[in-house]
Structure formats: C-alpha cells, structure tokens
Amino acid sequence: MQTYDYIVVGAGSAGAALANRLSADAGNQVLLLEAGPASHPWSRIPIGYARLITNPAANWLYTSEPETNTTGRRLPVPRGKMLGGSSSINGMAFVRGQAQDFDTWAQMGNTGWSYADVLPLFKRMERYDEGDDDYRGRSGPLRVTNPPPRLPIFAALIEAAGQVGIAHNPDYNGPRQDGIAMSQATISSGRRMSTARCYLDPVRTRANLHVVSEALAEALLLDGTRCTGVRYSVRGASHEARAGCEVVVCAGTINSPQLLELSGIGQPERLRDLGIEVRLALPGVGENLRDHYAPRTRWAIGAKGITYNDTARGFGLVRQALRYAFLRDGLLGSVGAPIRAFVRSRDGLEAPDVMLGWVPMLTEPGPNGPIISSQPGMTCYAHPMRPESKGHIHITSSDPRRPPAINFNFLSAPIDGEITARAVRIARAVMTAPAMASLQVTELAPGTTQTTDDEILDWVKRAAETTYHPVGTCRMGTDPIAVVDARLRVHGITGLRVADASIMPTLTSGNTNAPSIMIGEKAADLVLRDAAQVRV
Ligand SMILES: Cc1cc2nc3c(=O)[nH]c(=O)nc-3n(C[C@H](O)[C@H](O)[C@H](O)COP(=O)(O)OP(=O)(O)OC[C@H]3O[C@@H](n4cnc5c(N)ncnc54)[C@H](O)[C@@H]3O)c2cc1C
C-alpha cells in the first residue's frame, strides 16, 4: 500500500485549490484522487457549458427525487466529474457572496470564518485587474475578468434597472453587492478558467503531487476513530492508499456525505438498514441540503438581431465561430448569464436577498437537453439568495456506484415562496421599464395573467429548476447535528476533514464556485497550521 502525507478526495473547486497549496511544500507527499477523467475538450471553451450540462463523460448527471413543490418532477442535478470538478462545467459567473454571509457563519460559532477572516483568502486566490485594492486580489492563480458587454440589450437592461431603482454597480465583489452589473467571469482570453486550469496545470511538474484521475474513492479506511487512508478503484481495479497525516474529502455536496455514509459515518439506523457497519453515529451527515430554486421568467424580444437566438443559428453561428477564433469573445466565449442583479425584495433589509440573472436567449426543452428556441428572446431567473428550506441527501445502497437520493424539500419554508414571488415581480419591473420598450418585450412566462402570489408560485412549482448550487450536507458547526468543526475536522474522527461546498452552514448570497474555492484555500491553511503545531 502506498503511503502519502495527505490524501485529497475530489479535484473540484475546493480539492484542486487544496492540493495545490498542500503540495507547495516539497516535503508533503500529496495524493489527489478524482473520479472523472483528466479533461474534456468542451471544458476549455466557455460555450462548452451548454455541451457538458448533459454529458455523462464529464458530469455525474444526478436527478432529484420527485417532491410536491416540484409537482412531482425530478430536477436535473448536474455536477462536474473531471479535474476541476464543477468549475470545469459551470456557468463561470464569479460571485463571492456578501460579507454578512461569512459573518453569519462566524456568529454561529465557526471561529475564523467571518468576512474579515476570509477576505484575505478571496484576495489571495484571484487575479483580477480592476476594482478596489482593499477588496480585490491581483496575483492569485484564478484569473477573473470582466467580459466585454457586446450586446446592446445589456445597456438597455442596465438603464431599465436604474429606472426601477436598481443602480449600476460594476464590482459586486467589492465593498457593496447591491445593484446590476455585467457578470465577472472565470474566463480569460476566451478560455474557461477552471481550478484544473488555474490550480493544477501550473504545478503538474511537482514530483510530490500525485494526481490520479478516473479513481473512484469507495470508502475511507478507519482504525477505530482514526482515518488512516482511502480505498479506491481505477477502471475496476481496487487500490488502497494510506495517509500518514490526514485525508481531506472534497467530493462536493452530493458525494462527500455519500462517501462518509459508505464508510459507516452517519445516521446509524439508515446505515444498518443498508447492511453498513456503523463506525460513528453522526446524525447530520447528508442533512441541511440547500440550493437555489430558481424560476426562469421568459420574454419574447421583437427587435431583430439583438439576442443569441438571432446569432446562434445558420450564418450567424458561423460569424460567432469566426469571432471566437479571431477575437476569443462573442457567444462562444460568453459566461452563462452575462448580466445579473442583487436586489432587496423589500424595504428595511440590510443587504440584497434576491438575485436575478439574464441570458439573452430563449431555449426549449429538447430530448437531449435544452435546444435554442426559434423565437428570439431572453430568460431571466429570479430567486431568493439565502433560502431557508432544507432537504437531505442519503445513500440508498452500499454500492458506491449507485446515486444517492436527493431530496431538496423546496419551498418548505414559507418565506422562500414569498421572496420568490417578489423576485419574479422585480424581474417583471425591469423587463417592462421604459428603457426596454424599443426592444418590443412580451412576457411569455409566467404570463401576465399570473399576478397573485399563489398564481406565481403555482407556476414556479411547475417550472423552476435549480441554479446548481447545492451546499450544506456536511455542515460546519458546534451543535450535535454539525458534521465538521470550524477547522473542518469531522467530529469524532481524527485524521479526517471535509472541505468543499458541503461544509457551508447556509447558502452564500450568489453563485457558489468562488466560496468553494475559498474553502479549499482555507482548508490548506488549517491543515498546514495544525501540522506545524504537531511538529513544534
Ligand atoms: C452546471 C453548473 C453551473 C454552475 N454555474 C456556476 C456559476 O456560473 N458560478 C458559480 O459560482 N458556480 C456555479 N456552479 C456551482 C459551482 O461550480 C459549485 O458550487 C462548485 O464548483 C462546488 O465545488 P466543490 O469543490 O464543492 O465540488 P466540485 O467542484 O463538484 O468537486 C467535487 C469533485 O469530486 C469528485 N468526486 C466526487 N466523488 C468522488 C469520489 N467518490 N472519488 C473521487 N472523486 C470524487 C467529482 O468528480 C468532482 O470533481 C455551477 C455548477 C454546475 C454543476
């Protein structure tokens, strides 16, 4: 059996950042296990997002369980399965969240996670050439840019938002989040900046970093209450690796609780029912699942030539391909939702509670995923940023290849429904503001006849999907339901941490890639500091 100092399971947003930082010291032998392949050609080009969202070669393609507030629908739960994890297939919007998000985590007892504590990590991880020096980093590994606002529709939206009281705020990752802005993006020179590209590619030559792709971690090796290593398989062949110091699970919100449960760490009844020996009763494993349940309002645009519906077909597409080949921008180099707004749904709030994101294109459901609609138009998703509804994820089999059951329990907290209805009304207010009139906008969904909260929520239940931000299933905290402590150590087990989006106690206000990478950076500091103390 091979022995390493550290074994990192999962090379996604958090895991790749962590493996980079741990292996910066040539004295640390680091094994990075990734279930997916080393790369996929579509992961390099931003538009590849549309190809990877339904592609089993680089995506776990989970679906949720049917539930009342999805009217029995199973929702797609895409997750990246390759080096870079979900950062290799995501929509590339770069949003940190609000200072209050992290201050709340600290107030919940998680020492070291206030915004003042994590701001230096957000700065250290990024290379962004603009913004305020107090808030933004210039020399980190992750390239973050402002893609150019090419379409006139974006200027119209910014003006329309201003007309309904939503000011333009170019740096929502700076001192204030409020306002409308072009999305900042993990895109540089027309290429996706995944953590594989930014954290792993530059350190491939490190002799002490051992990256094994197509390696599925099947169980943690436990000696009493100490984690000693990992059992994994590569193309059917079983292997074991020993960790001299620690194992850090970075398999993401779906697979981190799955791996703990497969290893006998979780709710005893549930594990026993599946014939799994209980190694540690930890009732919070798989609980506290949160995600953004986001209806996509749909709008027809009568003005010609200004949406991607006009430019993504026939000769228009050829022009876009040439534009990408020569200028590295346009549709093929675009962030998923190029413009977004952070808005307060009512007076008296300290910070925005709603996010809107616009895509200058209408799509229709197709047999193999969304297809471009023949009708030119726009989609605007609108949702509460910090939902209170909580669901759970649990294994249904002791077979590591069987997908776990994902129950979101959406809209179970009534406040989420209230804010969702307000969010849809804010989308309407922007889309019908005077600055949009010349674009000849018609509401397609939910439709102008849907006006009361009940009518809007009825439509939400029939139509909403997630924005692919599941978090929280190995929640950090100090109470009996918490899975890890503020140093990300699994309660009750030594030599084992979890570091990825699953440790978030609550959802951050926005998209979740940036905070997940920050968690990987933070984990590196915690692991290295603890190791240094042991040596002293
Ligand atoms: C389609 C999509 C669009 C999104 N758009 C955006 C966006 O525009 N902006 C944004 O900020 N966020 C976006 N997100 C969310 C964001 O990308 C994720 O929150 C973030 O990447 C999560 O990071 P993570 O480290 O927790 O998990 P991941 O990045 O998912 O990494 C987990 C890794 O672990 C591996 N793994 C899992 N199980 C095992 C196992 N048993 N053995 C070995 N390896 C394993 C996985 O294959 C994966 O590589 C999007 C996500 C998706 C799926």
Side-chain angles (χ1 to χ4, degrees):
M1 189 187 319
Q2 283 281 91
T3 299
Y4 302 86
D5 297 304
Y6 301 103
I7 302 176
V8 177
V9 178
S13 298
L18 172 64
N20 172 308
R21 299 298 185 188
L22 292 180
S23 61
D25 179 342
N28 291 332
Q29 291 294 325
V30 179
L31 174 64
L32 177 60
L33 298 174
E34 167 52 47
S39 68
H40 191 287
W42 279 115
S43 75
R44 298 188 194 115
I45 304 170
I47 193 67
Y49 163 74
R51 304 303 296 253
L52 294 175
I53 198 155
T54 52
N55 190 331
N59 188 330
W60 293 87
L61 294 180
Y62 293 121
T63 52
S64 66
E65 296 299 306
E67 49 191 75
T68 318
N69 289 336
T70 66
T71 58
R73 292 173 299 135
R74 289 181 184 274
L75 305 184
V77 185
R79 296 280 92 197
K81 186 179 184 183
M82 59 184 294
L83 294 184
S86 298
S87 80
S88 291
I89 70 161
N90 72 11
M92 295 154 290
F94 187 78
V95 183
R96 283 180 185 173
Q98 296 167 4
Q100 286 92 331
D101 297 329
F102 307 100
D103 290 342
T104 303
W105 294 3
Q107 279 163 17
M108 292 165 101
N110 299 303
T111 307
W113 289 88
S114 71
Y115 194 55
D117 291 315
V118 301
L119 179 58
L121 301 171
F122 277 120
K123 290 175 69 178
R124 169 173 102 187
M125 76 194 211
E126 72 176 359
R127 187 146 63 90
Y128 179 68
D129 292 336
E130 292 164 60
D132 175 337
D133 269 333
D134 288 339
Y135 289 86
R136 304 309 304 257
R138 312 271 180 239
S139 50
L142 188 75
R143 191 89 170 94
V144 179
T145 60
N146 292 332
R150 294 274 180 213
L151 295 179
I153 207 164
F154 299 138
L157 273 170
I158 291 172
E159 193 185 342
Q163 289 168 340
V164 298
I166 304 170
H168 185 209
N169 172 16
D171 190 5
Y172 54 77
N173 289 315
R176 287 176 64 253
Q177 192 189 44
D178 301 57
I180 186 163
M182 296 306 297
S183 301
Q184 294 175 17
T186 43
I187 297 175
S188 178
S189 305
R191 296 289 186 182
R192 172 190 287 277
M193 295 291 113
S194 66
T195 56
R197 169 75 186 74
C198 295
Y199 278 92
L200 295 180
D201 284 356
V203 300
R204 284 291 166 84
T205 52
R206 285 182 188 164
N208 62 324
L209 175 60
H210 310 269
V211 181
V212 186
S213 51
E214 298 184 47
L216 179 75
E218 298 183 342
L220 302 165
L221 304 176
L222 300 172
D223 181 1
T225 55
R226 177 164 189 87
C227 180
T228 55
V230 179
R231 191 182 79 230
Y232 64 98
S233 65
V234 181
R235 283 175 235 106
S238 191
H239 303 264
E240 289 188 353
R242 180 172 293 279
C245 298
E246 294 196 40
V247 174
V248 189
V249 177
C250 302
T253 296
I254 317 294
N255 299 102
S256 286
Q258 178 193 34
L259 185 58
L260 294 187
E261 291 187 335
L262 290 169
S263 312
I265 303 169
Q267 299 173 358
E269 280 292 283
R270 197 178 281 283
L271 301 183
R272 273 191 214 109
D273 285 352
L274 297 172
I276 295 172
E277 185 193 347
V278 179
R279 307 302 298 266
L280 179 77
L282 208 50
V285 172
E287 298 295 316
N288 189 50
L289 170 65
R290 299 165 190 249
D291 202 345
H292 290 135
Y293 190 38
R296 273 72 163 164
T297 66
R298 294 160 53 77
W299 307 85
I301 302 286
K304 294 287 168 237
I306 60 167
T307 69
Y308 284 148
N309 293 93
D310 297 310
T311 53
R313 246 193 293 267
F315 186 60
L317 187 57
V318 175
R319 277 180 46 189
Q320 289 292 335
L322 288 171
R323 169 164 209 120
Y324 182 74
F326 291 105
L327 300 174
R328 292 264 180 249
D329 73 2
L331 170 64
L332 278 66
S334 173
V335 59
I339 183 163
R340 63 195 54 238
F342 304 91
V343 188
R344 294 161 205 239
S345 68
R346 56 191 186 278
D347 292 340
L349 295 180
E350 256 184 38
D353 61 339
V354 158
M355 181 160 75
L356 310 178
W358 285 269
V359 183
M361 177 152 80
L362 272 183
T363 53
E364 311 286 340
N368 302 312
I371 50 170
I372 299 172
S373 161
S374 54
Q375 158 100 68
M378 289 202 86
T379 308
C380 172
Y381 60 77
H383 60 84
M385 290 198 284
R386 297 178 296 280
E388 292 185 11
S389 304
K390 288 181 268 186
H392 49 84
I393 293 178
H394 292 292
I395 55 172
T396 57
S397 156
S398 57
D399 178 351
R401 280 167 189 77
R402 289 282 293 278
I406 302 171
N407 286 278
F408 284 112
N409 219 7
F410 280 131
L411 303 180
S412 53
I415 183 77
D416 293 349
E418 261 174 56
I419 302 176
T420 305
R422 285 171 195 262
V424 169
R425 290 201 177 89
I426 297 168
R428 270 184 178 151
V430 176
M431 293 301 290
T432 55
M436 299 297 284
S438 65
L439 306 185
Q440 301 157 45
V441 176
T442 309
E443 180 175 332
L444 301 174
T448 49
T449 55
Q450 315 294 300
T451 55
T452 66
D453 274 14
D454 283 348
E455 285 166 344
I456 292 173
L457 284 179
D458 235 40
W459 166 73
V460 168
K461 290 172 191 172
R462 281 182 279 115
E465 294 192 9
T466 85
T467 46
Y468 322 125
H469 300 151
V471 306
T473 50
C474 295
R475 178 171 64 80
M476 170 170 68
T478 51
D479 57 285
I481 308 298
V483 175
V484 298
D485 69 8
R487 301 188 75 73
L488 303 181
R489 298 172 298 201
V490 174
H491 287 295
I493 301 254
T494 51
L496 180 64
R497 300 191 206 226
V498 179
D500 55 30
S502 74
I503 67 96
M504 296 189 195
T506 57
L507 249 171
T508 50
S509 306
N511 311 55
T512 44
N513 188 38
S516 302
I517 298 172
M518 180 278 284
I519 289 166
E521 291 272 4
K522 174 92 181 167
D525 285 2
L526 296 171
V527 168
L528 293 172
R529 258 178 235 149
D530 287 354
Q533 280 192 345
V534 171
R535 269 183 231 124
V536 167

